[in-house]
Amino acid sequence: MPLLRIRLTGSEDDVRAISNLLQSLDGIEHVEEVADLMPRMDDADSSSAGLSDLRGPDAHEIEIDAPNPSTARRVREAVEALAFDLDVLVEFEDDDET
């Protein structure tokens, strides 16, 4: 069973739109936004210490369980099309043997 991970750079609304799309696809068994495990805190010696906290869109990661490679391929195609429309950057990582 393919496990796809999607990293995307966009707003919370963008993530919600992509998650809704994923949940509407036939055959998708599990969709979950996973927490970012990498801390993003500056220390006193950081080159960005004291700079503004305003930054661009946030990075998010979503995991999807697909029942087979064909469905995983449909997921990729659908997410790529929506990401293009939303102007969101997406990166796919899959753990299947195909």
Side-chain angles (χ1 to χ4, degrees), residues 37-69:
L37 301 176
M38 185 70 159
R40 303 279 186 235
M41 298 172 34
D42 291 335
D43 60 17
D45 294 333
S46 173
S47 62
S48 59
L51 294 179
S52 171
D53 239 357
L54 299 177
R55 51 188 178 170
D58 291 327
H60 305 270
E61 187 168 325
I62 299 173
E63 286 186 349
I64 304 106
D65 286 330
N68 55 52

Side-chain angles (χ1 to χ4, degrees), residues 3-7 61-62 76 91-95:
L3 174 67
L4 290 134
R5 288 185 187 89
I6 301 174
R7 287 185 205 92
E61 187 168 325
I62 299 173
R76 291 175 77 102
E91 176 185 4
F92 294 91
E93 175 186 328
D94 48 4
D95 288 345

Side-chain angles (χ1 to χ4, degrees), residues 1-2 7-8 15 20-21 23 27 35 37 49 56 60-61 63-66 68 77 79 83 87-89 94 96:
M1 175 180 318
R7 287 185 205 92
L8 60 102
V15 173
N20 289 341
L21 168 72
Q23 292 171 350
L37 301 176
H60 305 270
E61 187 168 325
E63 286 186 349
I64 304 106
D65 286 330
N68 55 52
E77 291 168 357
V79 170
D87 198 25
V88 171
L89 177 68
D94 48 4
D96 63 352

Side-chain angles (χ1 to χ4, degrees), residues 12 15-16 19 30-35 59-63:
E12 292 293 328
V15 173
R16 205 171 3 264
S19 293
H30 179 76
V31 176
E32 179 182 3
E33 183 174 2
V34 293
H60 305 270
E61 187 168 325
I62 299 173
E63 286 186 349

